[in-house]
């Protein structure tokens, strides 16, 4: 398998323009050109750690505070899902659980796995790793669905004394966590997956 | 192209010299900054964290850790962190994290209570807690003090809320006055204070509560102030008309107290001073002049007799003066004390020392000392009748001269037992029963029947036409009588009598003047001769006297008198007839009798008595004239009479000695005199009282 680097080319990650290796700036869109981002893994890990750090309080603090005339209720993410499940709303509970727990956790695991795989080498085929990365990057933004629900509810349900829904502290942390993991995923230079594949193969002289 | 063939030299310096910035991405600053922020926030939180205080509550309903707030002046200054139990599960420990800045002020005088929604007659309070949940309100002053870790929470809000400082008093309710927690103290319609939680005093006789008079109204209170209960309403009916007093709706429902300083000269009020709450204003006013009734000496008495009729509130009297009342009545079975299992009557007496009027003050001690002394000299308690009608009993303290020695003994727990004596209960019920029986036995029905019959008879009598005619007849009769009396002859009668008397007087004078003595002498010689004859015929004199007597009697019994007597008899008969059984027939008879009477009177008027009397008087005058004529011949006789007089005197002396003719003659003369008097008195009577002719009196 030949990569652009093998062919002495560098591709722009922004506009996909291919330029000869050593071109510092994309001749079409003007963004910096790197054959491989040297700080990619550092960025991934930095955002990953931040995301994970935010994910912990996002699960400890209440996501949603519901004040009605007679009671005040504040639910964490998991607690809210459990409450919904207890009330029989299995579908909604499942959606919340998937969007707020399964996806972020899977994302953390996937990103960590990819980063470790790039760093140490992986047994997973390159194609599948890339697919995994694509899925992570694509699906990660859907975790924001919980934040959107909270934002919509708290802006809609403001009936003064009767019923008020305010976002809990967890919603901020959760949003930050999603943002950080998205940044983390974006920082991952997926081209490095293929470098690993080459490392495991017998070295080929890149020079003609 | 040597240069082209030569491999480029390795730049080791450049490799080794790659700076940290070049090897490490700046992106690491982001988690680093986050870490710094987190540490900073954590440190800040920790540094700003206030102390944890513990508040022990009896009941912490609604207090939830992490939610319930501690507030001061309605501003949150702390948060409950933990709710747990004190050792022994006796109380609830609430751990509150207090804000750093207020922590120094929470010292020994801090008070805490749980604010809950409350709906009462005075309004709704703590409504906010319905929605937000309860909170703990704290109250402390504005000066920092030594911090305490542990506090005791109050069960209810204290009297002095923030900004309501004032005078604290203790109010004690007497009688029917009531103290209600949180009730207002009202002065002239303004709420100037509040009553705290009432408690029962140790002796159980009254209730007392702390009260707070808010500043600046506390200056209204001094030692002469009297409090009274204004709860409910009072209705009074008196000379001033009907009066209905309702102070306020809140007071009506939940009670209230008001006060007034009725007399001047009271000293300043002491904080914590004890004041009595009277049931009504009049009682409060009366208390100014009576002793304080609030202090009570409780005595017990055990009566052998288990007698119904004694009730709670029955009076306790000492020599007829009410000094207290019965508070409780119980049965008592005490084998050890009395030696048998009989049920005795245990009575608790509340004596008011103020009523005893002791010199040494109205204290309980002095009253007890007085009673001890009195019991030693024979004072005993006994049951006595209080009311004859209801059969109610009272307790009487009475001095018995021959009482066996006894004293006031301790009884039960802190009680005192006053010795008793036999009850004196008038068996009123039996007496009353006897009275009722006698009333019952009276023949009321028979009497009633007779009365009814009598009334029916009277009714028939009155309604009969004859009876109706009576008044008219009586009227006629009276008119006739008036005609008789008014007749000129009757009117002239006194004049005639006067004339007669004058003539008699003239006659006597003539006799005296014409020197009868000389003329008499001749006559007396005859008389002297006759005296012998008289002396012989002295036996015939009594007959003469008797005749004269008869004449006098007849003169006395003139026709008018007889007629008056008859009329009297007639009227008597009429009365008898009226009283008689066949009174029905009376009117007819009466009518007839009246008609006859009328006729008699008419006859009288027409030519009866008066003319006869006139004629009789005329005859008497003629007789007098004749006598006078005869008298003229007498002077000759007088000389003879004088000669004879000696003889006659002797003879008469003999007569006198014999008490014969002289006495009779004197008697005859007296009779004549009496007859004349009778005539004169009759004439006077008729003159004075003409209707005596009718009435016979």
């Amino acid at each position: 398998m030949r990569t652009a680097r093998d062919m002495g080319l560098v591709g722009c990650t922004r506009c996909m323009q291919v330029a000869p290796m050593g071109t510092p700036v994309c001749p079409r869109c003007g963004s910096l050109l790197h054959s491989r981002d040297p700080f990619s893994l550092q960025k991934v890990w930095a955002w990953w750690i931040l995301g994970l750090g935010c994910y912990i309080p996002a699960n400890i603090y209440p996501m949603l505070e519901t004040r009605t005339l007679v009671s005040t209720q504040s639910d964490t993410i998991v607690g809210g899902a459990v409450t919904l499940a207890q009330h029989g709303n299995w579908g909604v509970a499942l959606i919340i659980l998937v969007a707020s727990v399964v996806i972020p956790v899977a994302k953390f695991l996937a990103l960590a796995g990819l980063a470790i795989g790039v760093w140490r080498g992986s047994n997973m085929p390159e194609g599948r790793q890339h697919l995994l990365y694509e899925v992570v990057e694509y699906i990660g933004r859907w975790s924001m669905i919980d934040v959107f629900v909270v934002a919509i509810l708290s802006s809609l349900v403001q009936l003064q004394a009767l019923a008020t829904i305010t976002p809990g502290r967890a919603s901020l942390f959760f949003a930050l966590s999603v943002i950080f993991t998205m940044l983390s995923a974006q920082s991952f230079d997926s081209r490095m997956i293929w470098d690993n594949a080459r490392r495991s193969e017998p070295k080929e002289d890149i020079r003609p | 192209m040597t240069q082209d063939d030569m491999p480029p030299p390795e730049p080791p310096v450049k490799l080794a010299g790659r700076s940290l910035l070049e090897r490490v991405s700046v992106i690491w600053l982001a988690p680093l900054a986050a870490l710094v922020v987190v540490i900073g926030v954590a440190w800040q939180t920790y540094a700003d964290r206030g102390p944890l205080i513990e508040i022990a509550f009896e009941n912490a309903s609604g207090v939830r850790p992490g939610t319930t707030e501690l507030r001061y002046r309605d501003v949150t200054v702390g948060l409950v962190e933990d709710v747990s139990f004190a050792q022994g599960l006796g109380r609830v420990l609430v751990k509150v994290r207090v804000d750093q800045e207020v922590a120094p002020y929470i010292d020994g005088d801090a008070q805490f209570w749980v604010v809950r929604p409350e709906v009462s007659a005075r309004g709704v309070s703590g409504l906010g807690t319905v929605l937000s949940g309860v909170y703990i309100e704290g109250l402390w002053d504005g000066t920092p003090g030594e911090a305490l870790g542990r506090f005791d929470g109050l069960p209810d809000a204290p009297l002095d809320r923030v900004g309501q400082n004032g005078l604290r008093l203790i109010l004690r309710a007497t009688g029917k006055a009531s103290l209600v927690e949180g009730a207002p103290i009202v002065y002239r319609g303004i709420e100037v204070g509040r009553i705290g939680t009432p408690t029962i005093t140790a002796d159980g006789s009254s209730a007392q509560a702390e009260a707070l008079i808010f500043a600046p109204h506390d200056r209204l209170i001094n030692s002469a102030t009297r409090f009274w209960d204004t709860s409910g309403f009072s209705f009074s009916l008196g000379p001033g008309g009907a009066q209905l007093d309702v102070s306020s709706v809140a007071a009506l429902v939940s009670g209230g107290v008001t006060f007034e300083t009725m007399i001047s000269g009271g000293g300043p009020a002491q904080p914590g001073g004890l004041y009595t709450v009277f049931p009504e204003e009049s009682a409060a006013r009366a208390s100014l002049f009576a002793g304080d009734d609030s202090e009570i000496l409780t005595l017990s008495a055990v009566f052998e007799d288990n007698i119904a009729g004694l009730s709670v509130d029955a009076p306790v009297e000492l020599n007829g003066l009410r000094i207290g009342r019965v508070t409780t009545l119980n049965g008592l079975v005490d084998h050890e004390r009395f030696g048998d299992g009989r049920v005795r009557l245990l009575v608790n007496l509340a004596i008011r020392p103020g009523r005893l009027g002791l010199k040494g003050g109205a204290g309980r001690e002095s009253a007890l000392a007085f009673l001890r002394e009195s019991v030693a000299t024979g004072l005993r308690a006994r049951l006595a009748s209080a009311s004859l009608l209801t059969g109610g009993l009272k307790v009487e303290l009475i001095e018995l001269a021959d009482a066996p020695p006894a004293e006031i003994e301790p009884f039960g727990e802190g009680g005192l037992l006053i010795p008793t004596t036999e009850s004196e209960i008038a068996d009123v019920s039996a007496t009353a029963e006897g009275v009722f029986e006698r009333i019952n036995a009276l023949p009321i029905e028979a009497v009633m029947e007779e009365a009814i019959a009598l009334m029916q008879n009277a009714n028939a009598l009155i309604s009969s036409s004859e009876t109706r005619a009576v008044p008219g007849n009586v009227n006629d009769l009276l008119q006739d009588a008036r005609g008789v009396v008014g007749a000129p002859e009757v009117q002239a009668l006194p004049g005639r009598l006067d004339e007669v008397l004058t003539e008699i007087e003239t006659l006597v004078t003539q006799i005296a003047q014409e020197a009868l003595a000389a003329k008499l002498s001749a006559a007396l010689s005859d008389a002297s001769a006759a005296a012998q004859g008289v002396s012989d015929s002295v036996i015939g004199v009594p007959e003469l006297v008797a005749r004269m007597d008869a004449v006098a009697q007849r003169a006395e019994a003139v026709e008018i008198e007889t007629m008056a007597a008859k009329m009297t008899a007639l009227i008597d008969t009429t009365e008898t007839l009226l009283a008689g059984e066949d009174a029905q027939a009376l009117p007819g008879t009466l009518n007839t009798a009246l008609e006859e009477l009328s006729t008699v009177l008419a006859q009288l008027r027409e030519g009866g008595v008066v003319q006869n009397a006139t004629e009789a008087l005329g005859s008497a005058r003629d007789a007098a004239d004749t006598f006078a004529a005869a008298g003229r011949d007498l002077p000759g006789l007088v000389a003879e009479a004088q000669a004879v007089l000696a003889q006659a005197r002797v003879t008469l002396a003999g007569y006198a000695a014999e008490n014969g003719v002289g006495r009779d003659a004197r008697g005859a003369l007296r009779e004549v005199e009496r007859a004349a008097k009778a005539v004169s008195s009759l004439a006077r009577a008729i003159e004075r009282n003409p209707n005596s002719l009718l009435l016979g009196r």
Side-chain angles (χ1 to χ4, degrees):
Chain A
M1 192 176 192
R2 288 171 67 101
T3 63
R5 181 188 258 185
D6 293 339
M7 298 168 72
L9 293 171
V10 59
C12 176
T13 50
R14 176 80 60 83
C15 65
M16 302 302 160
Q17 169 77 29
V18 179
M21 182 77 76
T23 312
V25 175
C26 174
R28 183 159 64 187
C29 68
S31 54
L32 285 172
L33 288 180
H34 291 288
S35 177
R36 299 289 181 271
D37 185 359
F39 298 120
S40 172
L41 279 183
Q42 287 189 27
K43 286 179 188 169
V44 167
W45 283 120
W47 292 126
W48 189 89
I49 287 168
L50 264 178
L52 190 65
C54 286
Y55 190 67
I56 293 166
N59 275 286
I60 291 172
Y61 287 118
M63 188 73 176
L64 207 62
E65 284 178 356
T66 313
R67 290 170 192 265
T68 61
L69 198 61
V70 289
S71 68
T72 302
Q73 197 179 8
S74 53
D75 284 316
T76 59
I77 294 168
V78 179
V82 169
T83 310
L84 280 170
Q86 281 172 347
H87 285 93
N89 296 325
W90 288 99
V92 183
L94 201 67
I95 289 172
I96 288 175
L97 265 185
V98 169
S100 305
V101 180
V102 176
I103 292 176
V105 170
K107 222 160 85 177
F108 285 121
L109 291 177
L111 276 175
L114 285 174
I116 291 168
V118 167
W119 180 36
R120 286 275 168 92
S122 169
N123 295 327
M124 194 184 279
E126 289 80 5
R128 193 164 296 175
Q129 282 188 48
H130 191 82
L131 183 67
L132 182 65
Y133 170 71
E134 288 290 340
V135 170
V136 163
E137 214 204 346
Y138 175 76
I139 216 165
R141 65 199 69 169
W142 285 101
S143 291
M144 280 302 234
I145 193 170
D146 212 354
V147 178
F148 292 149
V149 166
V150 169
I152 290 167
L153 277 180
S154 53
S155 56
L156 282 181
V157 187
Q158 289 291 342
L159 305 175
Q160 299 299 328
L162 279 176
T164 308
I165 293 179
T166 49
R169 263 181 277 184
S171 56
L172 177 66
F173 285 110
F174 190 79
L176 284 173
S177 172
V178 173
I179 289 166
F180 289 148
T181 47
M182 282 166 74
L183 286 171
S184 175
Q186 279 187 351
S187 305
F188 187 74
D189 196 344
S190 57
R191 292 174 292 197
M192 289 190 292
I193 296 170
W194 307 101
D195 293 344
N196 275 350
R198 295 198 68 83
R199 205 181 297 158
S200 57
E201 285 171 19
K203 277 273 182 182
E204 243 180 71
D205 195 359
I206 56 169
R207 288 176 206 176
Chain B
M1 291 295 285
T2 52
Q3 272 190 336
D4 281 346
D5 292 337
M6 271 177 67
E10 287 288 318
V13 176
K14 199 178 181 181
L15 273 174
R18 268 177 86 181
S19 71
L20 199 66
L21 273 175
E22 284 170 16
R23 281 191 288 123
V24 177
S25 167
V26 284
I27 204 70
W28 285 109
L29 286 177
L32 208 65
L35 192 67
V36 168
V37 167
V38 167
I39 289 171
V41 167
W43 186 84
Q44 180 90 32
T45 309
Y46 182 81
D48 284 354
R49 201 171 67 147
L52 194 68
I53 59 167
E54 277 184 352
I55 310 168
F57 285 108
E58 290 289 337
N59 172 8
S61 87
V63 175
R64 285 192 293 174
T67 307
T68 306
E69 296 163 341
L70 171 66
R71 296 190 189 177
Y72 176 70
R73 292 177 186 261
D74 268 352
V75 174
T76 304
V77 294
L79 194 69
V80 173
E81 287 199 345
D82 186 31
V83 177
S84 60
F85 285 109
Q87 204 163 16
L89 306 180
R91 310 197 77 181
V92 179
L93 283 183
V94 176
K95 289 179 179 146
V96 181
R97 181 69 66 185
V98 186
D99 285 2
Q100 184 83 41
E101 52 193 11
V102 283
Y105 298 99
I106 304 176
D107 47 17
D109 67 344
Q111 293 172 309
F112 300 92
W113 66 96
V114 180
V115 179
R116 299 185 178 94
E118 186 183 354
V119 181
S120 70
R122 291 179 307 282
V124 179
S125 67
L127 192 62
T129 58
V130 172
L131 302 180
S132 65
V134 302
Y135 60 90
I136 298 170
E137 179 86 44
L139 179 63
W140 47 82
D141 59 19
T143 52
E146 193 181 344
L148 275 175
R150 174 84 183 258
F151 297 91
D152 277 334
L154 303 173
D156 298 291
L159 277 175
D160 45 351
R161 307 280 171 84
V162 177
Q164 287 185 331
N165 294 319
L167 177 69
R168 279 171 181 276
L169 304 171
I170 293 172
L171 295 182
R172 176 179 284 183
T174 58
K176 287 176 182 164
S178 60
L179 295 172
V180 181
E181 180 177 356
I185 297 172
V186 179
Y187 184 75
R188 304 252 187 267
I190 297 171
E191 183 177 333
V192 298
R194 219 159 246 288
I195 298 173
T197 309
T199 53
I200 303 294
T201 50
D203 62 354
S205 65
S206 55
Q208 66 180 36
E210 201 177 33
L212 179 75
I213 310 289
F214 307 140
H217 305 296
D218 54 350
R219 64 187 161 78
L220 296 168
I221 309 285
N222 66 25
S223 63
T225 302
R226 291 292 183 271
F227 290 80
W228 66 89
D229 190 0
T230 57
S231 63
F233 61 89
S234 71
F235 178 75
S236 59
L237 191 62
Q243 198 174 359
L244 180 67
D245 275 344
V246 184
S247 51
S248 77
V249 175
L252 182 67
V253 176
S254 64
V257 165
T258 188
F259 62 87
E260 197 163 320
T261 305
M262 294 167 178
I263 52 171
S264 57
Q270 300 296 319
L274 181 67
Y275 288 84
T276 301
V277 179
F278 294 93
E280 56 199 8
E281 184 178 1
S282 53
R285 287 189 186 279
S287 74
L288 286 171
F289 308 105
D292 188 8
D293 280 351
S294 59
E295 198 163 23
I296 279 172
L297 170 66
T298 304
L299 291 177
S300 301
V302 175
F303 294 102
E304 295 286 327
D305 328 84
N306 206 346
I307 298 169
L310 190 65
S311 60
V312 172
D313 274 346
V316 177
E317 292 183 353
L318 174 65
N319 298 336
L321 174 73
R322 182 168 180 158
I323 59 165
R325 64 186 192 92
V326 172
T327 52
T328 55
L329 293 170
N330 289 314
L332 176 70
V333 180
D334 194 339
H335 261 287
E336 292 178 15
R337 186 179 280 267
F338 303 109
D340 61 21
R342 273 187 57 207
V343 180
R344 286 169 173 79
L345 186 63
L346 173 64
V347 181
N348 281 330
L349 314 173
I351 309 286
R352 297 193 160 150
R355 300 281 178 90
L356 291 171
L358 297 174
K359 272 185 183 174
R364 201 177 302 182
E365 297 307 316
S366 56
L368 185 57
F370 167 76
L371 287 176
R372 277 189 200 283
E373 201 175 313
S374 302
V375 165
T377 59
L379 189 78
R380 298 288 182 272
R382 73 174 184 193
L383 294 174
S385 302
S387 165
L388 292 177
L389 284 178
T390 61
L393 298 182
K394 63 185 176 184
V395 175
E396 215 175 30
L397 302 181
I398 192 159
E399 293 264 2
L400 289 185
D402 53 350
E407 59 182 3
I408 293 180
E409 305 166 27
F411 176 75
E413 287 181 12
L416 294 164
L417 189 68
I418 186 164
T420 58
T421 185
E422 284 179 11
S423 308
E424 189 192 61
I425 296 163
D427 197 358
V428 184
S429 53
T431 313
E433 204 174 332
V435 169
F436 283 128
E437 271 174 8
R438 288 183 66 181
I439 290 172
N440 215 15
L442 287 175
I444 293 172
E445 306 231 329
V447 170
M448 288 300 285
E449 274 168 16
E450 281 177 20
I452 289 165
L454 178 64
M455 281 181 180
Q456 279 171 349
N457 289 341
N459 203 14
L461 173 62
I462 289 163
S463 56
S464 71
S465 57
E466 288 91 343
T467 310
R468 295 216 178 126
V470 169
N473 291 339
V474 169
N475 206 12
D476 292 347
L477 180 62
L478 283 170
Q479 274 173 356
D480 289 346
R482 197 174 292 147
V484 172
V485 172
E489 291 90 346
V490 174
Q491 297 282 344
L493 201 56
R496 298 262 177 97
L497 279 171
D498 198 32
E499 281 171 24
V500 172
L501 286 170
T502 317
E503 285 185 14
I504 289 171
E505 196 179 313
T506 320
L507 176 62
V508 171
T509 319
Q510 279 178 353
I511 293 170
Q513 281 173 348
E514 290 179 21
L516 283 174
K519 289 181 182 174
L520 277 171
S521 61
L524 281 174
S525 59
D526 293 345
S528 143
Q532 198 61 44
V534 168
S535 168
D536 294 336
S537 62
V538 96
I539 305 124
V541 172
E543 286 176 11
L544 175 73
V545 169
R547 268 184 209 165
M548 284 171 74
D549 202 353
V551 170
Q553 274 174 355
R554 288 177 75 175
E556 193 177 359
V558 199
E559 242 176 316
I560 295 170
E561 200 169 354
T562 319
M563 194 188 67
K566 278 183 183 169
M567 277 175 68
T568 309
L570 178 65
I571 287 165
D572 286 348
T573 319
T574 313
E575 277 172 8
T576 324
L577 272 173
L578 275 168
E581 282 183 1
D582 46 4
Q584 295 272 15
L586 179 68
T589 323
L590 191 62
N591 248 2
T592 327
L594 284 168
E595 272 164 19
E596 283 172 9
L597 197 60
S598 183
T599 321
V600 169
L601 283 164
Q603 284 172 355
L604 275 174
R605 190 171 53 179
E606 280 163 15
V609 189
V610 176
Q611 275 177 359
N612 288 347
T614 317
E615 280 166 17
L617 285 167
S619 308
R621 191 170 157 194
D622 291 344
D625 287 345
T626 318
F627 198 35
R632 285 186 203 105
D633 301 329
L634 281 174
L637 294 176
V638 172
E640 287 176 20
Q642 270 174 339
V644 182
L645 269 175
Q647 287 181 350
R649 195 171 292 141
V650 177
T651 314
L652 285 168
Y655 292 157
E658 285 171 19
N659 284 335
V661 183
R663 191 185 56 190
D664 290 336
R666 261 200 313 265
L669 281 167
R670 249 185 260 121
E671 291 290 346
V672 172
E673 195 180 38
R674 204 185 301 156
K677 270 183 189 165
V679 171
S680 109
S681 75
L682 174 66
R684 267 203 305 276
I686 288 168
E687 186 185 14
R688 198 170 52 230
N689 213 2
N691 60 357
S692 61
L693 275 173
L694 272 177
L695 301 171
R697 293 187 188 93

